[in-house]
Amino acid sequence: MKKRWVFPAIYLASAAIILTAVLMFQAGNTETNPEDENNNGQGPTTSYNEDDAVEVNRPVENFVMPVTDKNSAVIEKQFWDADASKEEQEASFVYYNGMYHPNTGVDIKMKDGETFDVVASLSGTVIRAEEDSLLGNVVEIEHLNGVKTYYQALSNVTVKAGDFVDQGQKIAEAGTSLMNKDSVHVHFEIRKDSVAVNPTEYFDRPVTALLDEEGQASEESSEPADEQEKKPAEGTDKPEDGEEKDGDEGTDSAEEEENVSYNI
């Protein structure tokens, strides 16, 4: 004990014993998840509440026409645009029950006039799939940040509310509605926070292009599509050139107005 090195040696030995005990205690309380040993170094695979995993790195999608063969499709009636020429605005009005309505979407049909598959323009969740007495079968799909797409005048709907659909997945077939009984078509709308925008300006563009732009539609386009189309006023004549055109919006193609088709 009189040696100079005795006490330092005792201190070092004690510290080593304590450190070893702490490490052994920690090792004994560490639980190993067997699934983590087989994930090939991909990180933890913990699941909470047994919910399905969400793909956080999903690529940004471009809006696409809701048809499988866009080369055979034509736009029968265009979106009513406040900045368009008078002739273009006249062609985009929808006539129903004595009233003219600005069209808040586009009406798409095939060149041969036959029915066709209607597909989802973007991936999203179906929040409405039901039959409407005026609009025909209606499907509404919710996407991100207030973006929704509407599909009307459908037949043979294959989805229901709550379904998640991938872009390009069939949701129905084209049909007719009371707004347009003579043309087999789909009425398609894109809305951001319930404001309708011109679909043709966003086809083949990413959804982020819509999210980054503001003021895409006038105040007349701000009501939900189904509420606008269900209550058209009656007995209103078509306004003369140069006069203001009143009326609700969100309706499909007119039967009594000459159709104007645009090749895609």
Side-chain angles (χ1 to χ4, degrees):
M1 299 296 292
K2 294 182 179 180
K3 299 294 183 180
R4 187 180 301 176
W5 51 265
V6 172
F7 287 104
I10 293 175
Y11 294 149
L12 290 175
S14 299
I17 293 173
I18 294 173
L19 180 60
T20 302
V22 171
L23 293 176
M24 292 179 63
F25 177 79
Q26 291 178 343
N29 286 279
T30 301
E31 296 181 0
T32 302
N33 189 342
E35 295 180 357
D36 291 345
E37 297 178 355
N38 298 321
N39 64 1
N40 297 322
Q42 298 301 315
T45 57
T46 304
S47 176
Y48 298 93
N49 300 324
E50 297 183 355
D51 292 335
D52 293 336
V54 178
E55 186 178 356
V56 296
N57 293 326
R58 191 181 190 94
V60 175
E61 295 175 336
N62 291 349
F63 286 101
V64 298
M65 288 189 69
V67 301
T68 55
D69 183 9
K70 69 177 184 179
N71 293 324
S72 299
V74 293
I75 295 183
E76 183 181 28
K77 187 168 289 294
Q78 290 278 3
F79 177 86
W80 189 91
D81 190 343
D83 296 327
S85 66
K86 186 190 328 184
E87 292 75 15
E88 291 173 330
Q89 290 181 346
E90 291 284 348
S92 60
F93 271 100
V94 176
Y95 180 84
Y96 175 75
N97 202 18
M99 185 70 185
Y100 284 83
H101 312 268
N103 194 24
T104 54
V106 291
D107 299 341
I108 304 171
K109 69 175 186 178
M110 288 292 120
K111 295 176 182 177
D112 58 12
E114 298 296 325
T115 189
F116 54 92
D117 289 344
V118 177
V119 301
S121 177
L122 287 176
S123 299
T125 301
V126 178
I127 59 175
R128 184 160 66 108
E130 61 188 21
E131 183 177 1
D132 185 279
S133 59
L134 180 62
L135 307 176
N137 288 302
V138 177
V139 171
E140 180 180 346
I141 301 178
E142 185 176 45
H143 310 289
L144 72 164
N145 296 342
V147 176
K148 298 179 182 178
T149 51
Y150 294 78
Y151 311 75
Q152 301 169 5
L154 304 174
S155 65
N156 300 323
V157 176
T158 59
V159 296
K160 64 183 184 301
D163 288 349
F164 182 86
V165 294
D166 291 316
Q167 183 181 54
Q169 177 180 335
K170 178 180 177 180
I171 61 173
E173 295 178 4
T176 61
S177 68
L178 288 182
M179 306 299 299
N180 185 356
K181 296 183 289 186
D182 299 327
S183 174
V184 178
H185 69 287
V186 57
H187 176 80
F188 175 68
E189 297 187 10
I190 299 175
R191 288 178 174 260
K192 172 67 171 71
D193 296 330
S194 299
V195 177
V197 299
N198 189 347
T200 60
E201 293 183 357
Y202 293 96
F203 287 146
D204 299 322
R205 294 181 62 191
V207 65
T208 51
L210 174 58
L211 299 177
D212 293 340
E213 295 177 4
E214 299 179 356
Q216 295 299 315
S218 62
E219 294 181 357
E220 290 82 8
S221 304
S222 61
E223 296 180 8
D226 54 322
E227 294 298 327
Q228 297 160 357
E229 296 183 352
K230 283 186 179 181
K231 301 178 181 178
E234 299 184 8
T236 302
D237 294 332
K238 181 177 180 181
E240 298 294 334
D241 291 344
E243 295 182 358
E244 182 179 358
K245 300 176 178 62
D246 298 323
D248 297 334
E249 59 193 87
T251 54
D252 292 276
S253 283
E255 299 101 31
E256 299 182 35
E257 182 184 7
E258 180 181 358
N259 290 329
V260 178
S261 299
Y262 297 83
N263 291 333
I264 302 302

